[in-house]
Amino acid sequence: MSKALIQEKYIYNEDENLLSQGAFGQVFKITDKKVGTEYVLKKLVKNDPNNKKIFGTDEESFENEIDFLTKVKGANIVNIIDYYANPKDKHYYIILEKMDGDLEDMLNNSVNKGKMTSKMIRKIFKQLNSGFKMMIKKEKVHRDLKPSNILFTYTNDEKSDFIVKLGDFGLATDIYKTDIKSNAGTLFFKAPEVENGIYNNKCDLYSIGVILYMLKTGENIFEGKSDTERMISKMNGKIKKIKDDYLLNDLISKLVVNNYHDRIEWNDYFNHQFFKEKDDDNKNVANDNLIKEKNKLIENLEKKVQNLEKKIKQLESGKIDYLLLELQSMNKQKQNIIDNNNNNENKNNNNNNNENLKERKLKEEEEKAIKEESKLESNLLVK
C-alpha cells in the first residue's frame, strides 16, 4: 500500500534510480509528478536478512529518524518531506530533500587531492555547528557522525558556494533515553565510551575531532599501518598531530580524548578560537607564515630537548666510567706513595729528625689518598 501511495505522487523506479545501498536500506531518486522537483527516498525493509545492522532493527531505525527529523528542524539539518509506513507492510519509506553529495565526495574531489584547507573546514563546520546546537537544544545525540553522513548541496550554478547539512539519523536518540546505553556507531569515528555502552552527547564531539583531522589530512587520525594497529592506538589514545595549523590541532587534541570527562565541553567547542578566525586572504597568508614560524620554532625546541636528553643519558652512563678511572688513578698514586714510603723506611732506619719529618709527610699523603678513595667508592655506591 505504501509503495502505491508513493507512486501516485512521485516517479519512482527502483530498477533505474538506485543511488546507494547501506546497512539500513536503500536510497532512490524520485521526482514529484506535479512540479518536477527531485527528492530522495530512503527505503527500509523490516527484518531483512540481507541487512547486517550495527544497532537495533529497521523499525527502530525508521522510528529514530522520523522522531529526529520531525523534532529537530534547521537550515543545517536535512529536511524531511514525507514518510510512509503500514503495520502490515514490511517496508518503511522516508522522503528527504535531495542533496548533491556528502563530505566524502567533497574531500575526494578537492583541489588539494584528498585534503581541505583550514578555511574550507571552517566554512563547513560553522554551518554544521548550527545543526549541532539544534540537536543539543532538542536533547538529541547523533551517534553516527562521519563524512558520509554530512551532506551538501550547491547554492549556485557555478558550484562555488554550498550549504552543509547533517543527515542519516537512523542511530539518533534522546540524550536521556534508556537505550543511550547501547553500542552504536562506526568503528574509527565512535568514541571509546560508546564501546562500553554508557555515554552522553559528548560522544559526538569525539567523532567531530576524527572528522576534522580526516578533512585536513585525508588520513585516519590514529597511528598505525593497519586497522589493527590503528585500533590499538585508538584504545591507547595515540593520535597524530596537524603541524600546519596550531588552532585546529589544539581543537582536535581536546576533542579526541578517550576519557569523556576530560573531553572539551560543547560550549567550549563552539567558542574555540579556530572558529573565530576571519578568513581574509591577506590575513591568512600572514597567519600561515606565523604558524609556520611557530611550528619551526617548536620543532627546533623539540630537537634540542631530544639532544639534551641524549647528552644526559650519555653523561649518566659515562659518569661511572669516569669515576672508575679516577679511582684507578688514585689507587695508583696511593700505591706509589706506599712503595716510596716502604723504600724510604728500608733505607733510612737511622736517619735524623729531618728524615723522620719526611716520613710523617709521606704517611699524611697516604692517609689523604685513602680518604679520597673512600669518597669515590661512596659516590659509586650512590650511583
Side-chain angles (χ1 to χ4, degrees):
M1 179 64 73
S2 298
K3 186 175 181 179
L5 288 173
I6 294 170
Q7 289 177 329
E8 286 181 8
K9 295 176 64 176
Y10 304 95
I11 299 171
Y12 170 35
N13 189 320
E14 292 189 359
D15 295 327
E16 297 180 3
N17 300 121
L18 178 66
L19 296 176
S20 63
Q21 184 164 337
F24 285 90
Q26 298 171 307
V27 178
F28 301 92
K29 181 181 76 173
I30 63 172
T31 307
D32 188 297
K33 289 182 177 180
K34 289 184 178 180
V35 296
T37 304
E38 291 184 347
Y39 300 104
V40 295
L41 181 142
K42 195 171 185 178
K43 174 185 174 183
L44 303 173
V45 183
K46 184 178 181 180
N47 299 326
D48 183 352
N50 295 319
N51 254 356
K52 296 180 180 179
K53 296 174 288 298
I54 303 170
F55 165 79
T57 66
D58 296 295
E59 188 173 3
E60 286 175 323
S61 176
F62 175 80
E63 291 173 353
N64 287 340
E65 191 142 16
I66 296 302
D67 181 67
F68 188 101
L69 292 170
T70 53
K71 290 181 179 178
V72 186
K73 301 283 188 178
N76 301 105
I77 304 288
V78 68
N79 292 322
I80 184 171
I81 308 301
D82 210 345
Y83 61 93
Y84 298 84
N86 190 315
K88 295 181 181 180
D89 193 345
K90 293 183 178 180
H91 299 80
Y92 300 88
Y93 303 89
I94 305 174
I95 298 175
L96 305 163
E97 66 174 314
K98 186 176 180 293
M99 306 293 284
D100 290 324
D102 57 44
L103 283 193
E104 276 191 0
D105 300 325
M106 188 182 287
L107 185 63
N108 293 332
N109 296 324
S110 65
V111 294
N112 293 325
K113 297 180 180 179
K115 300 178 184 179
M116 289 186 183
T117 63
S118 295
K119 179 179 179 180
M120 176 66 80
I121 294 171
R122 194 162 18 249
K123 181 177 181 178
I124 291 169
F125 271 83
K126 279 184 178 180
Q127 296 184 53
L128 289 177
N129 287 349
S130 297
F132 295 141
K133 288 176 181 178
M134 287 301 301
M135 284 172 49
I136 294 170
K137 184 178 180 180
K138 297 296 182 178
E139 298 182 340
K140 295 286 186 179
V141 55
H142 191 287
R143 297 198 295 180
D144 197 23
L145 289 175
K146 55 186 176 181
S148 60
N149 287 343
I150 298 172
L151 310 174
F152 75 91
T153 192
Y154 294 111
T155 56
N156 55 22
D157 294 335
E158 294 78 18
K159 297 183 177 181
S160 59
D161 205 1
F162 55 85
I163 186 169
V164 182
K165 301 191 178 189
L166 293 169
D168 202 335
F169 303 99
L171 292 179
T173 190
D174 296 326
I175 293 174
Y176 302 109
K177 200 172 181 179
T178 55
D179 68 352
I180 194 70
K181 295 181 180 180
S182 302
N183 185 356
T186 303
L187 189 61
F188 286 113
F189 293 94
K190 64 180 173 180
E193 66 267 21
V194 178
E195 299 280 355
N196 300 326
I198 300 177
Y199 50 96
N200 56 28
N201 68 345
K202 289 177 74 174
C203 66
D204 285 341
L205 286 168
Y206 186 95
S207 303
I208 290 169
V210 178
I211 294 169
L212 285 169
Y213 185 90
M214 180 169 284
L215 295 182
K216 181 65 176 178
T217 66
E219 299 176 355
N220 191 309
I221 191 171
F222 304 107
E223 297 177 358
K225 296 180 180 179
S226 67
D227 283 349
T228 301
E229 290 180 355
R230 284 187 279 269
M231 276 305 300
I232 293 172
S233 293
K234 179 182 177 181
M235 288 187 291
N236 293 327
K238 293 182 179 179
I239 62 173
K240 293 182 279 188
K241 294 181 179 181
I242 290 175
K243 295 183 178 181
D244 61 351
D245 190 324
Y246 170 79
L247 289 175
L248 181 56
N249 185 71
D250 179 72
L251 175 59
I252 292 171
S253 68
K254 293 175 179 176
L255 290 166
V256 189
V257 177
N258 281 10
N259 188 335
Y260 68 90
H261 295 293
D262 298 329
R263 198 172 300 150
I264 192 172
E265 298 293 335
W266 276 103
N267 284 337
D268 295 327
Y269 161 75
F270 291 131
N271 293 314
H272 194 275
Q273 189 61 37
F274 174 75
F275 298 121
K276 296 180 179 180
E277 287 292 286
K278 293 182 179 179
D279 290 313
D280 176 74
D281 289 337
N282 292 328
K283 184 182 177 183
N284 284 339
V285 172
N287 283 345
D288 288 344
N289 291 334
L290 182 60
I291 289 168
K292 287 178 181 177
E293 289 178 5
K294 285 182 178 179
N295 288 333
K296 189 175 181 180
L297 179 61
I298 290 170
E299 286 180 8
N300 289 336
L301 287 172
E302 286 177 347
K303 287 179 181 178
K304 287 181 179 180
V305 169
Q306 290 173 358
N307 290 333
L308 184 59
E309 288 175 345
K310 288 180 181 178
K311 287 181 179 179
I312 291 172
K313 288 180 180 179
Q314 290 172 355
L315 179 61
E316 288 175 346
S317 62
K319 195 165 186 179
I320 293 175
D321 294 334
Y322 169 77
L323 291 172
L324 286 172
L325 288 173
E326 285 290 309
L327 182 59
Q328 290 173 359
S329 176
M330 293 301 299
N331 283 332
K332 188 175 181 180
Q333 290 179 29
K334 183 188 76 172
Q335 191 60 45
N336 288 336
I337 292 170
I338 292 171
D339 292 339
N340 289 332
N341 188 35
N342 290 334
N343 290 333
N344 288 330
E345 283 181 347
N346 293 330
K347 292 179 181 178
N348 302 302
N349 288 328
N350 299 315
N351 281 347
N352 56 24
N353 292 333
N354 289 333
E355 289 176 344
N356 289 334
L357 181 62
K358 289 181 182 179
E359 181 179 339
R360 285 197 297 273
K361 286 183 179 180
L362 287 172
K363 286 183 178 179
E364 287 174 359
E365 289 178 359
E366 178 183 352
E367 289 173 356
K368 183 178 179 182
I370 291 170
K371 287 181 181 179
E372 289 180 355
E373 177 187 4
S374 299
K375 185 178 180 181
L376 287 170
E377 287 177 340
S378 298
N379 287 337
L380 281 172
L381 289 172
V382 171
K383 294 293 177 180

